[in-house]
Amino acid sequence: MSEECVFCAIGEGRLDALVVGENPRALAFLDRHPISDGHTLVIPKHHSENFLDMPAEDRAAVADLAHDVAHNLSHTLPRFEGFNLLMSNGQAAGQTVFHTHLHVFPRSAGDGYHLEQKPQRVPSNEELRAIQSLILAGAPARSDD
């Protein structure tokens, strides 16, 4: 783990966080800059930079803990009507803390937050088939499964 990584420091207990859940491999804590009340970050306790770097055990632990957090939020927050799961991977995708983290943020109708974006263009079926072929032909086997 990196001493410079704020999420590693939180996962190791060297930095305080408002913890709302934990399992042996993952930790959930309230986001200090929330999009909505209850906005929670779920991180693997062991450092990985992004989703592709995360070992299978950590992926499962983060997913299980995110499920528990969403369940708890749905039963405790008065304005809970739904939730988003969001993970940014890489600077181009908006990742600013380079330790894998999954956002779980509660939603309610009319909360003012919008994820919707219209595509700049709609690809043809032929273009989609070409992309499908590239993905299926070019993916090397994963080493951690």
Side-chain angles (χ1 to χ4, degrees):
M1 294 191 196
S2 168
E3 289 186 31
E4 299 83 33
C5 177
V6 66
F7 288 170
C8 283
I10 291 170
E12 293 170 350
R14 294 184 286 117
L15 191 60
D16 286 335
L18 299 169
V19 175
V20 296
E22 183 173 9
N23 64 36
R25 299 189 69 90
L27 186 70
F29 53 93
L30 294 178
D31 192 311
R32 296 272 184 193
H33 305 281
I35 289 173
S36 61
D37 289 344
H39 181 169
T40 301
L41 300 177
V42 182
I43 65 167
K45 290 181 181 178
H46 301 287
H47 187 81
S48 61
E49 186 170 306
N50 61 53
F51 186 73
L52 295 176
D53 295 339
M54 209 174 14
E57 298 86 7
D58 288 352
R59 291 192 308 266
V62 166
D64 285 346
L65 188 52
H67 180 273
D68 292 347
V69 166
H71 174 80
N72 292 346
L73 291 169
S74 75
H75 286 86
T76 58
L77 294 180
R79 293 198 51 206
F80 184 96
E81 296 177 25
F83 65 97
N84 287 108
L85 298 175
L86 177 68
M87 182 184 290
S88 299
N89 292 273
Q91 188 172 5
Q95 185 177 6
T96 58
V97 177
F98 291 91
H99 181 118
T100 308
H101 56 288
L102 178 62
H103 296 260
V104 181
F105 56 96
R107 301 296 305 275
S108 60
D111 63 14
Y113 189 80
H114 302 284
L115 289 175
E116 304 87 25
Q117 183 177 6
K118 295 192 188 289
Q120 293 180 3
R121 66 179 194 84
V122 176
S124 68
N125 285 337
E126 292 76 25
E127 290 172 301
L128 290 173
R129 283 191 199 94
I131 293 168
Q132 176 191 29
S133 294
L134 285 172
I135 293 169
L136 294 173
R142 295 187 337 209
S143 62
D144 66 326
D145 292 329

